[in-house]
Amino acid sequence: MKRIKGGEEDGNGSSSESSPEACKKVRTQTSEDETPESDWVRLPQELLLHVFQYLPLLDRAYASQVCRRWNQAFHMPELWRYFEFELNQPASSYLKATHPDLIKQIITRHSNHLQYVSFKVDSSTESAEAACNILSQLVNCSLKTLGLISTARPSFMEVPKSHFISALTVVFVNSKSLSSLKIDDTPVDDPSLKVLVANNRDTLKLLKMSSCPHVSPAGILCVADQCYGLRELALNYHLLSDELLLALSSEKHVHLEHLRIDVVSENPGQHFHTIKKTSWDAMVRHSPKFNLVMYFFLYEDEFGPFFNEEVPVTHLYFGRSVSKEVLGRVGLHCPRLVELVVCANGLRPLDEELIRIAKRCTQLSAIGLGECEVSCSAFVEFVKLCGRRLSQLSIMEEVLIPDHKYSLDEIHWEVSKHLGRVWFPDMMPTW
Amino acid sequence: MVHTCVHWFRKGLRLHDNPALMAALRDCQELYPVFILDPHLHNDTCVGINRWRFLVGALRDLDCSLRKLNSRLFVVRGKPEEVFPELFDKWKVTKLTYEYDTEPYSLSRDQTVTTLAKEHRVEVLYKISHTLYDIDRMIEENNGKAPLTYNRMRAIVKTLGPPKKPIPAPTMEDMKDVKTPCSENHEQKYEMPTLGELGHDTAALGEEQFPGGEQESLRRLDEHMKRTGWVCGFEKPQTSPNSLSPSTTVLSPYVTFGCLSARTFWWRLAEVYQGKKHSDPPVSLHGQLLWREFFYTASVGIPNFNKMEGNPVCTQVDWDTNPEYLAAWREARTGFPFIDAIMTQLRQEGWIHHLARHAVACFLTRGDLWISWEEGQKVFEELLLDGDWALNAGNWQWLSASAFFHQFFRVYSPVAFGKKTDKNGDYIKKYLPLLKKLPAEYIYEPWKAPRSVQQAAGCIVGKDYPHPIAQHEVISKKNIQRMKLAYAKKSTDAAEPPASLILSLFPL
């Protein structure tokens, strides 16, 4: 924590750092408090504020008990712009919760100061309901950022839908300047998105709403059609449509920066629609630098609709087992690929697939392989082809299969050589 | 001057490579080799029946070896801080020796005892021989911090040079002027502990796979060192977690209790390696000993090492409190045969392969059940023969991706992982005999077997064997997100850049 030098100088009145106003204030106050030994008393409020901003909330709260001036500083609006409400049931959670008295105080004294707010709730419905109750009371709030984060199970989904929607609507209607909204795993629906758009269309820049089952493709299309400033969007694949991509690529729309799509299968055998190549092409033309982040949680036989044509994905994550064949298609159809994570594959080596990816995904700079197999020779070939652009290479040591050319110890030298830095596979300790 | 010396055995239950014991013998006229059964350490919560049996065996073995030198082991019951003043007075002790131990409880206990010793004008001397190196020195070499990567530690070890050579056990010659006064009722006053002494149910004991003791440890060492090809080619990740008999040395319990000196092990390996091509750390046998050193160093350099709270290197994760889940895991009834077989072997035999440990640790924590690694740590401490404070804490943090390791996308599948080394599930059939009639196709996933198959095998899922406790594919997806949240919080608190790949995708 930095020490403020200004304090002492101002106390002596020798520098003109503080405004005349502040000095006047200081002077009148010293005549009131008859404790001449304390130069702290003459510290202007702005500096006090500055110091307080460095303190964590608890320390600030303690400081506020010291004297009236410090108490006033504690309640200055600038200190209440950002707040994260942590709502846990103490009996079942490891982490601490925001004190209910503090919550009361914020609602009564500071709700109109709040601009950047998030709610972190655990897996209990009570916590999610408490969050909704607080939200409902933020009537004087003109929020710029709102985040609803369920850390464990999607507890907002268990709150009665109407209760949730009305709480959220309070914020949408009152804020009128929402820029960033994170509502993943919530029961938000199409009508509430309409309300969002009606009130915040000019300011909305970021919208994260993965796993929101009550929203339809039409609902999200409404957002894309009217919120021309939208730069970051996260949603599930079932909401993605050709129309959505075209809307996001329309002339009036700003360049998109991030599009994150979760492709999730709840039960084996689900069918997924396809997106036309022309829609993706339009996106790339409109926003040549945008990141397309795709998380796949599919069963192995559900990949049929994917990677048959070029797709501009930049960050690709396979959360479950993905076949050799699909990885082969990735190599063929993902020229913009920057990052690839394969959690598991199967029991056959990914040699050709990796080499093809190295050759054709010329932007690839990060790769992580979990439960996979690659022969050491193929791996060296892969690294050689990628060269120094590989800034992150996260391979578990058991992925690498020694062959006639390389053993495990030799491989780290070869790879380090081609990467231009010392590299080791990720280890698991022997226990 | 001549001394009346107490040598205090705690770990280091051996005569070979025991510098503290040798120091006790210098200018010694009376020697009392003592082992204290400390209620804080030796109770049925901390020590499971297999561990207890191992310790009892080790103490008997020690007594046996001491008898050959005309000495005996004195087993004393009570808290060290209460026991020692009495002994100091009764025996007119002038010197106390012990092997240094880095565990926080040990350090504080030894501090107390040292203070008491000074009050009784007893000289205290300790020597370092439980670890390859002087751990404090190791930390010093790394600018006062414990190295957080294995490779960093290897670099430090290179500058320190090879570990000290082990010293031989005391001989009759060393003992010629030394007497151990032994009364007729020695057996009653300082009796060897019995199997039932801590209150365990001894009827539950299985066959002893790994008898405790120095003699047994040296015998096993000799046996393994004869297999020079195997020793030189040893690469731990290539060994199997579910082979029917252990695929690794299983010398770890002996090293943990100190029946086998780590330095002796190291130098015997060096002898075998001499002049031959051999595997290297981290995967080699030397590498195993360095892993142990790594975790010991971490445990000394990192405060609150066995907890999440107050531990600066440990990611703060919102683990769930779920006694049902924990009990199912602990009692081998998760409904995943691979996991349950491993937990069964653990309880029955006190030893499981390290990859088996990875699988169950990942399953309990970030993989599936989202229970705190501290709970897993307690279970392993109780059941593992080689359960060691430092290694247990370190490995649990590693496997739960709480510390040292951050690639949390790498999750062990409770179904697929075991199949790689045991397609037919022979290991599962051995430890879960009720599943043995299931065909290989379903043995890892019995819930997928058609009803007719289950009936034919005499094993109905939901009746004879539990339903799977969680749907792995569904729950691991949520867990990855939870882990990502925990890491995101971490990166806003600290200045270091997030180590995980996934964090570069889409800031939260």
Side-chain angles (χ1 to χ4, degrees):
Chain A
M1 207 183 85
K2 286 190 279 196
R3 293 189 63 201
I4 305 293
K5 276 176 65 189
E8 273 179 58
E9 284 168 48
D10 279 0
N12 293 334
S14 54
S15 92
S16 52
E17 276 187 88
S18 55
S19 69
E21 232 105 343
C23 278
K24 263 199 212 138
K25 226 181 174 178
V26 166
R27 276 185 224 121
T28 38
Q29 289 209 289
T30 29
S31 62
E32 275 178 25
D33 315 355
E34 278 154 6
T35 47
E37 71 263 15
S38 175
D39 282 336
W40 283 113
V41 167
R42 307 206 237 174
L43 189 68
Q45 283 292 69
E46 300 90 67
L47 291 172
L48 202 53
L49 175 66
H50 190 68
V51 173
F52 273 25
Q53 277 168 339
Y54 284 98
L55 295 177
L57 183 59
L58 191 61
D59 293 345
R60 226 185 284 159
Y62 283 135
S64 76
Q65 304 295 296
V66 166
C67 66
R68 213 182 311 141
R69 279 198 79 223
W70 284 26
N71 194 277
Q72 283 170 355
F74 178 66
H75 287 290
M76 285 173 80
E78 291 84 341
L79 292 174
W80 296 98
R81 299 256 178 265
Y82 295 83
F83 200 80
E84 179 163 83
F85 293 92
E86 290 183 271
L87 302 166
N88 304 316
Q89 299 310 301
S92 60
S93 176
Y94 268 83
L95 301 181
K96 301 188 175 76
T98 311
H99 200 285
D101 292 342
L102 178 58
I103 295 178
K104 273 204 204 96
Q105 227 189 43
I106 293 173
I107 294 175
T108 37
R109 285 183 79 161
H110 297 292
S111 60
N112 56 333
H113 302 150
L114 291 171
Q115 287 180 346
Y116 307 90
V117 172
S118 61
F119 291 84
K120 250 168 119 179
V121 309
D122 66 5
S123 50
S124 68
T125 318
E126 290 87 356
S127 304
E129 278 182 353
C132 292
N133 289 333
I134 298 170
L135 271 177
S136 312
Q137 295 179 68
L138 297 180
V139 251
N140 298 320
C141 246
S142 136
L143 291 184
K144 295 205 170 94
T145 299
L146 174 64
L148 300 180
I149 302 162
S150 44
T151 56
R153 288 191 0 262
S155 31
F156 282 108
M157 295 302 297
E158 272 146 58
V159 172
K161 185 160 172 268
S162 50
H163 184 32
F164 177 82
I165 298 292
S166 61
L168 202 59
T169 312
V170 166
V171 174
F172 289 173
V173 169
N174 281 277
S175 289
K176 301 209 192 303
S177 58
L178 264 179
S179 162
S180 164
L181 182 62
K182 293 179 191 162
I183 44 175
D184 311 89
D185 289 300
T186 61
V188 65
D189 58 8
D190 289 0
S192 36
L193 285 183
K194 275 214 176 81
V195 176
L196 169 70
V197 168
N199 290 280
N200 302 276
R201 87 184 70 197
D202 295 327
T203 49
L204 194 66
K205 296 198 177 75
L206 182 151
L207 176 59
K208 288 194 74 197
M209 37 172 280
S210 305
S211 303
C212 292
H214 299 301
V215 178
S216 78
I220 188 67
L221 188 56
C222 168
V223 177
D225 268 337
Q226 301 191 57
C227 301
Y228 299 127
L230 194 64
R231 293 195 207 134
E232 295 189 30
L233 179 60
L235 38 64
N236 277 29
Y237 190 76
H238 78 274
L239 293 180
L240 191 67
S241 60
D242 296 300
E243 293 78 16
L244 181 66
L245 292 179
L246 292 174
L248 292 170
S249 324
S250 79
E251 240 178 68
K252 290 195 233 168
H253 215 103
V254 301
H255 295 304
L256 196 71
E257 287 171 22
H258 279 299
L259 177 59
R260 170 180 161 161
I261 302 172
D262 283 12
V263 190
V264 183
S265 163
E266 301 294 345
N267 295 299
Q270 245 179 269
H271 286 293
F272 294 89
H273 63 284
T274 49
I275 299 292
K276 296 198 190 108
K277 182 172 183 300
T278 47
S279 312
W280 286 123
D281 289 345
M283 275 297 311
V284 176
R285 261 194 317 270
H286 183 78
S287 310
K289 297 213 182 95
F290 91 107
N291 285 325
L292 177 58
V293 179
M294 297 184 82
Y295 278 75
F296 280 87
F297 292 97
L298 298 184
Y299 295 95
E300 271 201 39
D301 52 2
E302 290 170 333
F303 280 94
F306 301 100
F307 304 110
N308 299 306
E309 288 185 304
E310 209 173 277
V311 57
V313 59
T314 52
H315 297 74
L316 189 50
Y317 178 90
F318 291 103
R320 296 185 198 145
S321 191
V322 59
S323 69
K324 243 165 96 73
E325 209 247 307
V326 170
L327 289 174
R329 300 207 307 259
V330 165
L332 281 179
H333 300 300
C334 304
R336 290 177 91 228
L337 196 63
V338 169
E339 228 181 76
L340 174 65
V341 177
V342 180
C343 289
N345 164 249
L347 309 177
R348 287 146 63 219
L350 295 174
D351 296 4
E352 301 95 44
E353 290 76 14
L354 272 187
I355 289 172
R356 179 190 285 168
I357 287 171
K359 286 188 180 148
R360 305 199 37 167
C361 305
T362 56
Q363 307 300 313
L364 188 75
S365 62
I367 186 166
L369 299 179
E371 235 178 285
C372 304
E373 283 190 2
V374 184
S375 76
C376 285
S377 309
F379 186 67
V380 170
E381 183 66 24
F382 167 79
V383 177
K384 208 159 120 190
L385 287 167
C386 292
R388 299 193 177 203
R389 60 181 157 97
L390 267 186
S391 60
Q392 277 187 295
L393 185 55
S394 246
I395 314 291
M396 299 302 307
E397 64 187 357
E398 64 251 29
V399 166
L400 302 170
I401 311 296
D403 52 27
H404 57 279
K405 259 184 115 184
Y406 297 103
S407 71
L408 277 177
D409 336 306
E410 291 158 343
I411 206 173
H412 107 87
W413 283 120
E414 273 300 309
V415 171
S416 304
K417 203 170 68 189
H418 294 301
L419 288 178
R421 63 177 193 273
V422 178
W423 177 87
F424 286 97
D426 290 326
M427 301 175 197
M428 287 310 226
T430 58
W431 198 319
Chain B
M1 77 170 270
V2 273
H3 282 288
T4 296
C5 189
V6 168
H7 176 75
W8 183 13
F9 283 102
R10 308 95 65 84
K11 297 178 183 172
L13 302 177
R14 63 176 184 274
L15 298 186
H16 73 274
D17 193 33
N18 199 331
L21 178 62
M22 292 309 277
L25 296 180
R26 225 173 296 128
D27 303 318
C28 178
Q29 83 184 354
E30 275 182 11
L31 174 73
Y32 292 91
V34 162
F35 183 89
I36 301 186
L37 278 175
D38 177 346
H40 178 92
L41 294 174
H42 305 115
N43 57 65
D44 63 355
T45 333
C46 296
V47 182
I49 183 116
N50 284 315
R51 274 179 76 81
W52 179 244
R53 177 170 56 176
F54 192 96
L55 177 61
V56 171
L59 293 177
R60 281 187 198 281
D61 179 274
L62 202 54
D63 186 46
C64 194
S65 307
L66 284 167
R67 277 201 223 216
K68 292 190 187 133
L69 296 171
N70 289 331
S71 182
R72 291 299 300 272
L73 182 66
F74 292 68
V75 177
V76 186
R77 288 151 177 81
K79 297 191 198 147
E81 60 266 26
E82 286 166 17
V83 156
F84 271 117
E86 278 180 35
L87 295 179
F88 291 155
D89 288 338
K90 188 155 75 169
W91 294 336
K92 299 196 180 27
V93 179
T94 57
K95 190 157 110 183
L96 171 67
T97 58
Y98 62 83
E99 178 188 71
Y100 189 67
D101 183 19
T102 51
E103 282 183 38
Y105 171 73
S106 309
L107 289 174
S108 122
R109 165 199 68 191
D110 295 347
Q111 175 86 294
T112 310
V113 169
T114 301
T115 310
L116 287 168
K118 285 211 168 71
E119 287 168 19
H120 286 82
R121 273 166 298 170
V122 174
E123 183 192 328
V124 178
L125 197 69
Y126 65 76
K127 295 282 185 185
I128 294 171
S129 55
H130 186 63
T131 45
L132 294 174
Y133 296 92
D134 175 349
I135 301 294
D136 292 320
R137 176 77 203 289
M138 182 96 82
I139 291 179
E140 225 177 85
E141 280 292 317
N142 196 43
N143 299 319
K145 293 197 295 231
L148 294 180
T149 65
Y150 182 85
N151 290 311
R152 174 78 202 124
M153 193 205 62
R154 273 184 80 186
I156 298 170
V157 157
K158 264 206 180 74
T159 60
L160 291 177
K164 283 200 182 135
K165 288 235 169 132
I167 60 173
T171 58
M172 281 306 291
E173 181 62 30
D174 297 310
M175 294 285 290
K176 72 175 195 293
D177 298 321
V178 181
K179 209 168 46 110
T180 297
C182 209
S183 63
E184 265 162 24
N185 55 353
H186 176 96
E187 251 93 62
Q188 285 98 318
K189 278 168 78 174
Y190 305 108
E191 68 168 315
M192 281 288 143
T194 59
L195 276 182
E197 183 161 336
L198 294 188
H200 293 110
D201 175 17
T202 53
L205 259 184
E207 193 191 315
E208 190 167 31
Q209 306 277 337
F210 311 107
E214 181 184 10
Q215 299 313 310
E216 177 64 17
S217 77
L218 292 172
R219 187 194 69 75
R220 282 177 179 249
L221 181 66
D222 284 338
E223 208 177 86
H224 284 293
M225 296 301 104
K226 283 201 199 101
R227 306 159 62 195
T228 51
W230 182 82
V231 167
C232 288
F234 187 91
E235 283 177 12
K236 193 128 189 193
Q238 306 303 330
T239 57
S240 160
N242 44 11
S243 55
L244 293 177
S245 56
S247 50
T248 54
T249 62
V250 198
L251 283 169
S252 52
Y254 301 94
V255 175
T256 299
F257 279 87
C259 301
L260 174 62
S261 153
R263 287 172 183 162
T264 301
F265 193 1
W266 178 277
W267 285 102
R268 284 293 296 275
L269 286 169
E271 259 170 48
V272 173
Y273 287 160
Q274 187 84 355
K276 300 189 199 69
K277 190 164 191 290
H278 59 86
S279 56
D280 278 326
V283 298
S284 65
L285 283 169
H286 260 184
Q288 317 308 294
L289 288 169
L290 287 178
W291 275 114
R292 178 174 176 268
E293 210 71 9
F294 173 82
F295 286 119
Y296 263 87
T297 312
S299 76
V300 170
I302 296 167
N304 296 305
F305 190 59
N306 67 331
K307 301 197 219 346
M308 176 176 81
E309 198 175 321
N311 178 338
V313 305
C314 185
T315 309
Q316 305 297 305
V317 179
D318 63 332
W319 304 112
D320 287 336
T321 306
N322 192 326
E324 248 315 291
Y325 273 13
L326 177 59
W329 178 83
R330 189 181 56 228
E331 292 156 24
R333 44 182 180 83
T334 63
F336 286 90
F338 183 55
I339 303 294
D340 292 339
I342 294 170
M343 294 306 284
T344 303
Q345 184 187 19
L346 174 60
R347 189 170 291 276
Q348 281 177 6
E349 295 175 14
W351 183 89
I352 46 177
H353 188 280
H354 90 286
L355 290 177
R357 300 180 200 200
H358 291 181
V360 300
C362 183
F363 186 86
L364 178 70
T365 57
R366 65 188 172 89
D368 296 77
L369 302 185
W370 207 259
I371 304 282
S372 168
W373 58 269
E374 293 178 60
E375 297 296 340
Q377 185 183 214
K378 285 185 208 145
V379 173
F380 271 33
E381 182 190 357
E382 183 203 342
L383 299 180
L384 269 179
L385 286 177
D386 59 25
D388 177 296
W389 190 90
L391 269 64
N392 217 9
N395 279 295
W396 272 100
Q397 285 174 73
W398 195 299
L399 261 304
S400 59
S402 298
F404 311 115
F405 173 75
H406 311 288
Q407 311 315 340
F408 51 82
F409 60 83
R410 196 265 183 268
V411 173
Y412 293 86
S413 160
V415 169
F417 187 58
K419 277 192 198 169
K420 285 203 285 209
T421 39
D422 177 20
K423 276 203 199 60
N424 292 324
D426 295 327
Y427 175 83
I428 295 178
K429 293 177 185 175
K430 175 175 177 185
Y431 290 101
L432 299 177
L434 82 155
L435 295 177
K436 72 172 177 241
K437 294 215 186 98
L438 277 171
E441 192 186 345
Y442 298 111
I443 189 121
Y444 285 91
E445 310 165 271
W447 61 90
K448 287 197 176 158
R451 184 84 182 180
S452 53
V453 174
Q454 292 183 26
Q455 264 165 346
C459 179
I460 310 285
V461 173
K463 189 162 83 73
D464 305 302
Y465 184 70
H467 283 296
I469 200 168
Q471 226 189 320
H472 177 71
E473 292 82 17
V474 172
I475 213 172
S476 56
K477 168 180 178 278
K478 187 62 194 180
N479 289 347
I480 298 271
Q481 302 302 328
R482 290 181 85 166
M483 208 69 207
K484 189 171 169 191
L485 255 179
Y487 268 76
K489 181 164 203 299
K490 176 182 179 163
S491 71
T492 52
D493 291 345
E496 32 145 325
S500 162
L501 247 191
I502 299 168
L503 282 173
S504 64
L505 310 181
F506 228 61
L508 218 66

